[in-house]
Amino acid sequence: MRKIGKLNWAFSGGRIPFDSTGEEPVFNSHDKISVLNTSEEEANIEIFIFYGNQAPVGTYEVKIKPQRLRKIRINDLIDPEAVALERNYGCYVRSNIPVVVQFSRIDTGQNANAIMGTMAFPADKK
Amino acid sequence: MRKIGKLNWAFSGGRIPFDSTGEEPVFNSHDKISVLNTSEEEANIEIFIFYGNQAPVGTYEVKIKPQRLRKIRINDLIDPEAVALERNYGCYVRSNIPVVVQFSRIDTGQNANAIMGTMAFPADKK
Amino acid sequence: MRKIGKLNWAFSGGRIPFDSTGEEPVFNSHDKISVLNTSEEEANIEIFIFYGNQAPVGTYEVKIKPQRLRKIRINDLIDPEAVALERNYGCYVRSNIPVVVQFSRIDTGQNANAIMGTMAFPADKK
Amino acid sequence: MRKIGKLNWAFSGGRIPFDSTGEEPVFNSHDKISVLNTSEEEANIEIFIFYGNQAPVGTYEVKIKPQRLRKIRINDLIDPEAVALERNYGCYVRSNIPVVVQFSRIDTGQNANAIMGTMAFPADKK
């Protein structure tokens, strides 16, 4: 199957909440990046996290096997440095081959109401 | 009317929930793909489902009549194989003529709160 | 100010709910199309509604004044024909000058929980 | 790091709600614009607010430091003029260098249920 997607993705509306009232693990508050690699090659992606008041952190390196989906919890990005709780962040993802990236959020910290936002902006030049 | 849309669509953030507290059929938990064919020809689409830890499944073949909308429940994709509950998945849709594809989710399994996310990424090369 | 946006927009995930428990008029269940015309000319848009099992309906014609926003309730589209309640629909919007179109939904019919989805796909060729 | 994003962004579905039952400041009802500047230069953006029944207001000028994220509350745009509560609005953002813009809303005024929508339309000509 051919490669579907783009090399560069970004979003600016991230925030990892602190409180959580949902049941683990499905409804725990979280931010996730879902990466789809439709190709027959392994995809190597680099993730950079941007903050409001400090230098960006990275490179977080993740591999996605051929013809597989991979969900990456922002909470699980710990090398070179854990992503801070309760702080706004933006994210830039670049890949060596075209992939499809989607960002999703579930926040159960406010009266057990679930909030989900989902967005990713394909940032390829041209 | 002219053809509106793209030939290739993909999303990476799918998940079919298991529990459901909503009333059937409107608020049952579900993932749906909505396909709009504005043209005067029948559209033939092929759907491929990708998982984290097994080979992709497909081809699911669906036809959309000229100048019609069609909603496809992921739950209803059973040939060649039912899509697994409680598993993350990604989806690639390709069509023989331009169509508009939108992905939506309602999840009523968590305290009867409804969650809706909606996204599709037009993945046409150019 | 220059013209911002696209000439053609479409979405496939529309549905006007029947029940509503919210207070009028803000939280009444509804589907809305928001059109932004940043230019110094009047925009003339044509709206076409597509269904699953009948021919599309239109043309609904709407004007947007120069440098103004206009919200169009799908419920208010009555000429040539009211849009049916409790039915899935898709929508194609075309304009004589570039505009920005966003589709939003609030559904308060299910336990007073609000659902909002928002999407529009810029469907310009090329 | 290279510049990621677009020079022009717009959305048409804004509305600042009046009531709020959430705890300050995280769940207070609000509309926010998140701007990500991945480049090594400062970004200067100009924001214009459009209404249904009056002339657009602007220019609101905001700077985003190199390699930083900035969240801008619509409520905080007060020069040259505060954005009106309880009124629909659209927004056009232009930047001197490519940035990534995301629009998000949390509305806690209706039975403490949170609503989040997120969208921005990259409006670059080409």
Side-chain angles (χ1 to χ4, degrees), chain B residues 82-95:
Chain B
V83 177
L85 297 176
E86 291 287 330
R87 203 184 308 184
N88 299 320
Y89 69 92
C91 182
Y92 165 47
V93 177
R94 71 179 175 211
S95 176

PDB file of all heavy atoms in Angstrom, chain B residues 82-95:
ATOM      1  N   ALA B  82     -14.966  -8.579  11.252  1.00  0.00           N
ATOM      2  CA  ALA B  82     -15.507  -7.521  12.113  1.00  0.00           C
ATOM      3  C   ALA B  82     -14.374  -6.718  12.731  1.00  0.00           C
ATOM      4  O   ALA B  82     -13.314  -7.258  13.052  1.00  0.00           O
ATOM      5  CB  ALA B  82     -16.387  -8.114  13.202  1.00  0.00           C
ATOM      6  N   VAL B  83     -14.612  -5.417  12.902  1.00  0.00           N
ATOM      7  CA  VAL B  83     -13.622  -4.559  13.548  1.00  0.00           C
ATOM      8  C   VAL B  83     -13.710  -4.796  15.057  1.00  0.00           C
ATOM      9  O   VAL B  83     -14.791  -4.847  15.638  1.00  0.00           O
ATOM     10  CB  VAL B  83     -13.883  -3.075  13.205  1.00  0.00           C
ATOM     11  CG1 VAL B  83     -12.907  -2.171  13.937  1.00  0.00           C
ATOM     12  CG2 VAL B  83     -13.778  -2.864  11.691  1.00  0.00           C
ATOM     13  N   ALA B  84     -12.559  -4.970  15.701  1.00  0.00           N
ATOM     14  CA  ALA B  84     -12.520  -5.355  17.119  1.00  0.00           C
ATOM     15  C   ALA B  84     -13.007  -4.230  18.029  1.00  0.00           C
ATOM     16  O   ALA B  84     -12.671  -3.070  17.828  1.00  0.00           O
ATOM     17  CB  ALA B  84     -11.089  -5.741  17.490  1.00  0.00           C
ATOM     18  N   LEU B  85     -13.787  -4.580  19.064  1.00  0.00           N
ATOM     19  CA  LEU B  85     -14.199  -3.616  20.086  1.00  0.00           C
ATOM     20  C   LEU B  85     -13.014  -3.309  20.990  1.00  0.00           C
ATOM     21  O   LEU B  85     -12.106  -4.118  21.144  1.00  0.00           O
ATOM     22  CB  LEU B  85     -15.332  -4.200  20.945  1.00  0.00           C
ATOM     23  CG  LEU B  85     -16.642  -4.524  20.228  1.00  0.00           C
ATOM     24  CD1 LEU B  85     -17.618  -5.173  21.201  1.00  0.00           C
ATOM     25  CD2 LEU B  85     -17.252  -3.268  19.638  1.00  0.00           C
ATOM     26  N   GLU B  86     -13.061  -2.148  21.624  1.00  0.00           N
ATOM     27  CA  GLU B  86     -12.073  -1.779  22.638  1.00  0.00           C
ATOM     28  C   GLU B  86     -10.648  -1.837  22.112  1.00  0.00           C
ATOM     29  O   GLU B  86      -9.731  -2.225  22.813  1.00  0.00           O
ATOM     30  CB  GLU B  86     -12.178  -2.692  23.864  1.00  0.00           C
ATOM     31  CG  GLU B  86     -13.424  -2.496  24.664  1.00  0.00           C
ATOM     32  CD  GLU B  86     -13.414  -1.196  25.452  1.00  0.00           C
ATOM     33  OE1 GLU B  86     -12.317  -0.755  25.830  1.00  0.00           O
ATOM     34  OE2 GLU B  86     -14.479  -0.633  25.656  1.00  0.00           O
ATOM     35  N   ARG B  87     -10.480  -1.510  20.878  1.00  0.00           N
ATOM     36  CA  ARG B  87      -9.125  -1.473  20.349  1.00  0.00           C
ATOM     37  C   ARG B  87      -8.953  -0.194  19.538  1.00  0.00           C
ATOM     38  O   ARG B  87      -9.874   0.231  18.852  1.00  0.00           O
ATOM     39  CB  ARG B  87      -8.875  -2.691  19.454  1.00  0.00           C
ATOM     40  CG  ARG B  87      -7.389  -2.991  19.351  1.00  0.00           C
ATOM     41  CD  ARG B  87      -7.084  -4.116  18.422  1.00  0.00           C
ATOM     42  NE  ARG B  87      -7.851  -5.333  18.701  1.00  0.00           N
ATOM     43  CZ  ARG B  87      -7.665  -6.459  18.032  1.00  0.00           C
ATOM     44  NH1 ARG B  87      -6.760  -6.521  17.084  1.00  0.00           N
ATOM     45  NH2 ARG B  87      -8.387  -7.515  18.294  1.00  0.00           N
ATOM     46  N   ASN B  88      -7.799   0.417  19.653  1.00  0.00           N
ATOM     47  CA  ASN B  88      -7.511   1.593  18.838  1.00  0.00           C
ATOM     48  C   ASN B  88      -7.329   1.178  17.387  1.00  0.00           C
ATOM     49  O   ASN B  88      -6.788   0.121  17.093  1.00  0.00           O
ATOM     50  CB  ASN B  88      -6.218   2.270  19.311  1.00  0.00           C
ATOM     51  CG  ASN B  88      -6.326   2.747  20.749  1.00  0.00           C
ATOM     52  OD1 ASN B  88      -7.356   3.256  21.164  1.00  0.00           O
ATOM     53  ND2 ASN B  88      -5.264   2.556  21.508  1.00  0.00           N
ATOM     54  N   TYR B  89      -7.796   2.023  16.490  1.00  0.00           N
ATOM     55  CA  TYR B  89      -7.584   1.713  15.083  1.00  0.00           C
ATOM     56  C   TYR B  89      -7.427   2.997  14.275  1.00  0.00           C
ATOM     57  O   TYR B  89      -7.842   4.078  14.698  1.00  0.00           O
ATOM     58  CB  TYR B  89      -8.740   0.858  14.521  1.00  0.00           C
ATOM     59  CG  TYR B  89     -10.043   1.593  14.401  1.00  0.00           C
ATOM     60  CD1 TYR B  89     -10.385   2.247  13.220  1.00  0.00           C
ATOM     61  CD2 TYR B  89     -10.922   1.657  15.474  1.00  0.00           C
ATOM     62  CE1 TYR B  89     -11.575   2.948  13.116  1.00  0.00           C
ATOM     63  CE2 TYR B  89     -12.116   2.360  15.373  1.00  0.00           C
ATOM     64  CZ  TYR B  89     -12.427   2.994  14.190  1.00  0.00           C
ATOM     65  OH  TYR B  89     -13.594   3.697  14.087  1.00  0.00           O
ATOM     66  N   GLY B  90      -6.842   2.854  13.128  1.00  0.00           N
ATOM     67  CA  GLY B  90      -6.769   3.916  12.143  1.00  0.00           C
ATOM     68  C   GLY B  90      -7.486   3.463  10.889  1.00  0.00           C
ATOM     69  O   GLY B  90      -7.792   2.276  10.726  1.00  0.00           O
ATOM     70  N   CYS B  91      -7.752   4.381   9.999  1.00  0.00           N
ATOM     71  CA  CYS B  91      -8.570   4.043   8.844  1.00  0.00           C
ATOM     72  C   CYS B  91      -8.087   4.807   7.618  1.00  0.00           C
ATOM     73  O   CYS B  91      -7.777   5.996   7.686  1.00  0.00           O
ATOM     74  CB  CYS B  91     -10.016   4.420   9.165  1.00  0.00           C
ATOM     75  SG  CYS B  91     -11.202   4.031   7.889  1.00  0.00           S
ATOM     76  N   TYR B  92      -8.024   4.098   6.506  1.00  0.00           N
ATOM     77  CA  TYR B  92      -7.703   4.737   5.231  1.00  0.00           C
ATOM     78  C   TYR B  92      -8.837   4.448   4.261  1.00  0.00           C
ATOM     79  O   TYR B  92      -9.249   3.300   4.101  1.00  0.00           O
ATOM     80  CB  TYR B  92      -6.355   4.216   4.706  1.00  0.00           C
ATOM     81  CG  TYR B  92      -6.071   4.524   3.256  1.00  0.00           C
ATOM     82  CD1 TYR B  92      -6.265   5.806   2.741  1.00  0.00           C
ATOM     83  CD2 TYR B  92      -5.593   3.540   2.393  1.00  0.00           C
ATOM     84  CE1 TYR B  92      -5.999   6.089   1.409  1.00  0.00           C
ATOM     85  CE2 TYR B  92      -5.316   3.819   1.064  1.00  0.00           C
ATOM     86  CZ  TYR B  92      -5.534   5.091   0.578  1.00  0.00           C
ATOM     87  OH  TYR B  92      -5.276   5.371  -0.752  1.00  0.00           O
ATOM     88  N   VAL B  93      -9.369   5.500   3.661  1.00  0.00           N
ATOM     89  CA  VAL B  93     -10.484   5.383   2.728  1.00  0.00           C
ATOM     90  C   VAL B  93     -10.028   5.883   1.374  1.00  0.00           C
ATOM     91  O   VAL B  93      -9.524   7.006   1.269  1.00  0.00           O
ATOM     92  CB  VAL B  93     -11.687   6.246   3.199  1.00  0.00           C
ATOM     93  CG1 VAL B  93     -12.829   6.182   2.190  1.00  0.00           C
ATOM     94  CG2 VAL B  93     -12.153   5.823   4.575  1.00  0.00           C
ATOM     95  N   ARG B  94     -10.185   5.074   0.339  1.00  0.00           N
ATOM     96  CA  ARG B  94      -9.912   5.603  -1.003  1.00  0.00           C
ATOM     97  C   ARG B  94     -11.120   5.403  -1.893  1.00  0.00           C
ATOM     98  O   ARG B  94     -11.868   4.453  -1.772  1.00  0.00           O
ATOM     99  CB  ARG B  94      -8.628   5.017  -1.595  1.00  0.00           C
ATOM    100  CG  ARG B  94      -8.692   3.585  -1.997  1.00  0.00           C
ATOM    101  CD  ARG B  94      -7.335   3.149  -2.603  1.00  0.00           C
ATOM    102  NE  ARG B  94      -7.341   1.743  -2.879  1.00  0.00           N
ATOM    103  CZ  ARG B  94      -6.270   0.957  -2.827  1.00  0.00           C
ATOM    104  NH1 ARG B  94      -5.096   1.457  -2.502  1.00  0.00           N
ATOM    105  NH2 ARG B  94      -6.355  -0.327  -3.096  1.00  0.00           N
ATOM    106  N   SER B  95     -11.281   6.354  -2.792  1.00  0.00           N
ATOM    107  CA  SER B  95     -12.476   6.384  -3.636  1.00  0.00           C
ATOM    108  C   SER B  95     -12.073   6.501  -5.100  1.00  0.00           C
ATOM    109  O   SER B  95     -11.007   7.020  -5.427  1.00  0.00           O
ATOM    110  CB  SER B  95     -13.338   7.594  -3.227  1.00  0.00           C
ATOM    111  OG  SER B  95     -14.458   7.722  -4.076  1.00  0.00           O
TER     112      SER B  95
END
